[in-house]
Amino acid sequence: MSAEKKVPSERLVTLIGKPDCHLCEDAQGVVEKVCGDLGVPWEKKDITQDAELHREYWEQIPVVLVDGAQHTFWRVHDERLRRALTA
């Protein structure tokens, strides 16, 4: 059996980054635009406030998760994120 396709509003994008990170700011701009266009909820997590996230992702930030699974790191590409959220 195949998994049911989720509608965008049932997805969740998580942006993991830290303050004063220009790549994180760039990633947030893409996430805000794509999620806003598609009606996908998103959240932001700060590795400086979460030891487990820091241990797991400190070399890769910004990191984008889609429904809890890593989608990308360092650079977020608009079209790739759109495809992931509408597939």
Side-chain angles (χ1 to χ4, degrees), residues 51-68:
E52 184 177 333
L53 289 177
H54 187 274
R55 251 189 321 277
E56 189 165 351
Y57 296 116
W58 73 274
E59 291 182 316
Q60 297 179 343
I61 62 163
V63 175
V64 174
L65 310 179
V66 173
D67 298 331

Side-chain angles (χ1 to χ4, degrees), residues 6 8-9 11 22-23 26 28-29 31 37 41 64 68 78 83:
K6 289 184 177 182
S9 62
R11 311 301 300 263
H22 76 278
L23 287 177
D26 292 348
Q28 182 172 333
V31 168
D37 289 350
V64 174
D78 182 298
R83 282 193 307 270

Side-chain angles (χ1 to χ4, degrees), residues 67-82:
D67 298 331
Q70 188 167 337
H71 168 72
T72 193
F73 62 97
W74 292 337
R75 301 232 182 251
V76 183
H77 299 279
D78 182 298
E79 287 305 313
R80 184 168 178 259
L81 182 56
R82 282 180 196 280

Side-chain angles (χ1 to χ4, degrees), residues 3-54:
E4 263 188 60
K5 181 179 173 182
K6 289 184 177 182
V7 296
S9 62
E10 295 174 336
R11 311 301 300 263
L12 176 63
V13 172
T14 304
L15 173 62
I16 300 169
K18 69 177 184 177
D20 301 318
C21 163
H22 76 278
L23 287 177
C24 301
E25 292 166 8
D26 292 348
Q28 182 172 333
V30 174
V31 168
E32 284 178 341
K33 179 173 183 355
V34 172
C35 290
D37 289 350
L38 298 175
V40 174
W42 72 278
E43 63 185 358
K44 184 175 172 182
K45 295 191 176 182
D46 180 349
I47 66 165
T48 67
Q49 302 298 313
D50 185 314
E52 184 177 333
L53 289 177
H54 187 274

